[in-house]
Amino acid sequence: MGGIMTNDLHEANRLSWNAATVAHNSHKGDQAAFFRNGASTLYPEEIDLLGDISGLDVLHLQCNSGQDSLSLARLGARVTGVDISDEAIAFASRLSKDSGIAATFERADLFSWFDDARSAGRRFDRVFASYGTICWLSDIKTWARGIADVLKPGGRFAFIEFHPFAMVFDPGWKPHYDYAPKEPVEEAGVGDYVADSGEGLAVDGYEKGVVDFKNPHPSFEFNWGIADVVQALIDAGLRIECLKEYPYANGWVGFEGMRDLGGGRMAPPEAMPSLPLMYAISAIRP
Ligand SMILES: C[S@@+](CC[C@H](N)C(=O)[O-])C[C@H]1O[C@@H](n2cnc3c(N)ncnc32)[C@H](O)[C@@H]1O
């Protein structure tokens, strides 16, 4: 990894996400019709964290193809979604138009977006990030400072993420990876986890779409531990209101034998002890 700048790693991830996003959306059917029929992709956990967002300015970090952004807009928020992937932002903008749900989508590396937003004095009532976001970011302190800077005083950061402890296991539940490694981990590329999770992530019914997807672009992950995240938010001046852990992962079939507890809450096989698979943080800018 020597000599590679973290910006280059973000750029490598952009290419990998562009390719994977095409595969992911190929399994999700007519998403505009899904939204026109009044549906939402949000889980109860994030709705609880966000509270009432009607009439509020909400910033959605790493929004991918905008399904959750449009679901937030449906709840009455003015939503801005940001993502580095060209393919994801183009898809999100089309989905907004085709579904008739207004939202703004901006393509940028999150760190340069924060710099620009800070200079322009942009401020939001809520900042939201969910499920598979910080593992793509090379610096957790820059992330936390960016969030604090774009929140209005009294504004809230609502964050829900897969638990870093779960990332020590390989797909067969064998402990294999270090917890919260300090170095980026190179992977074969963003995979087709939508295909792996079936109905879990293709909520309007799973379609075959792209078969046996192989990503031609490698990806680089940064698995931040709970202490890294909490300390970065504290150092950025945010007041943590709650930290929760969940013994299931919403929609994600990341390991062998996962079972649905109901509502897409995926838990380890019954024979295994309970493990933390997701966590959530709510933090206020004083
Ligand atoms: C697992 S997806 C998040 C999906 C999200 N939960 C949603 O609402 O659908 C991770 C996203 O992070 C984006 N991403 C990765 N690195 C980024 C960066 N440096 N800046 C902005 N977005 C980035 C990817 O393009 C991808 O869309």
Side-chain angles (χ1 to χ4, degrees):
M1 203 73 65
I4 301 178
M5 299 292 291
T6 54
N7 285 354
D8 296 336
L9 301 187
H10 284 195
E11 272 304 290
N13 287 340
R14 177 173 70 82
L15 301 181
S16 202
W17 271 102
N18 280 346
T21 297
V22 174
H24 296 169
N25 282 318
S26 78
H27 304 300
K28 295 187 178 176
D30 186 347
Q31 299 188 59
F34 172 78
F35 283 110
R36 279 198 303 272
N37 291 335
S40 165
T41 52
L42 297 172
Y43 286 92
E45 288 81 1
E46 49 260 30
I47 294 174
D48 282 355
L49 271 182
L50 282 158
D52 182 2
I53 54 171
S54 177
L56 299 187
D57 290 309
V58 175
L59 172 65
H60 182 193
L61 307 180
Q62 298 172 252
C63 63
N64 192 258
S65 302
Q67 294 93 346
D68 285 359
S69 321
L70 297 184
S71 302
L72 296 169
R74 208 359 102 56
L75 296 175
R78 285 179 298 278
V79 179
T80 301
V82 179
D83 199 283
I84 199 170
S85 161
D86 318 73
E87 173 63 28
I89 288 298
F91 192 100
S93 306
R94 271 198 312 277
L95 191 56
S96 167
K97 191 163 156 279
D98 294 348
S99 62
I101 304 174
T104 304
F105 292 102
E106 302 179 14
R107 198 218 68 80
D109 183 330
L110 197 54
F111 292 174
S112 42
W113 189 91
F114 279 140
D115 286 342
D116 293 346
R118 197 181 281 117
S119 309
R122 296 175 74 176
R123 295 281 183 276
F124 297 84
D125 301 291
R126 298 275 186 281
V127 176
F128 174 63
S130 68
Y131 306 119
T133 53
I134 53 173
C135 61
W136 307 107
L137 302 180
S138 55
D139 186 340
I140 203 71
K141 290 187 179 296
T142 303
W143 169 80
R145 267 198 310 273
I147 292 164
D149 288 347
V150 300
L151 274 171
K152 295 178 189 172
R156 182 188 306 161
F157 175 47
F159 179 54
I160 187 156
E161 187 52 279
F162 299 118
H163 203 291
F165 179 64
M167 306 309 166
V168 307
F169 298 103
D170 71 10
W173 291 111
K174 195 163 164 283
H176 182 77
Y177 301 99
D178 285 337
Y179 177 77
K182 296 294 169 227
E183 292 294 317
V185 177
E186 179 167 358
E187 301 278 356
V190 180
D192 193 356
Y193 55 79
V194 177
D196 300 339
S197 299
E199 303 274 326
L201 292 174
V203 287
D204 193 26
Y206 180 79
E207 292 196 2
K208 198 165 160 206
V210 172
V211 178
D212 286 337
F213 172 70
K214 301 261 181 309
N215 201 318
H217 304 287
S219 56
F220 298 87
E221 293 191 27
F222 309 82
N223 285 317
W224 302 105
I226 298 281
D228 298 324
V229 173
V230 167
Q231 193 62 51
L233 293 171
I234 293 169
D235 291 348
L238 296 178
R239 181 167 50 77
I240 293 178
E241 278 190 317
C242 82
L243 167 61
K244 297 181 188 178
E245 294 178 305
Y246 306 84
Y248 54 82
N250 281 339
W252 181 49
V253 183
F255 305 96
E256 280 169 16
M258 300 280 281
R259 61 201 164 100
D260 193 343
L261 303 176
R265 294 176 169 169
M266 307 307 299
E270 222 154 330
M272 281 185 58
S274 154
L275 294 168
L277 295 187
M278 300 195 307
Y279 71 109
I281 293 175
S282 164
I284 299 286
R285 177 178 169 162

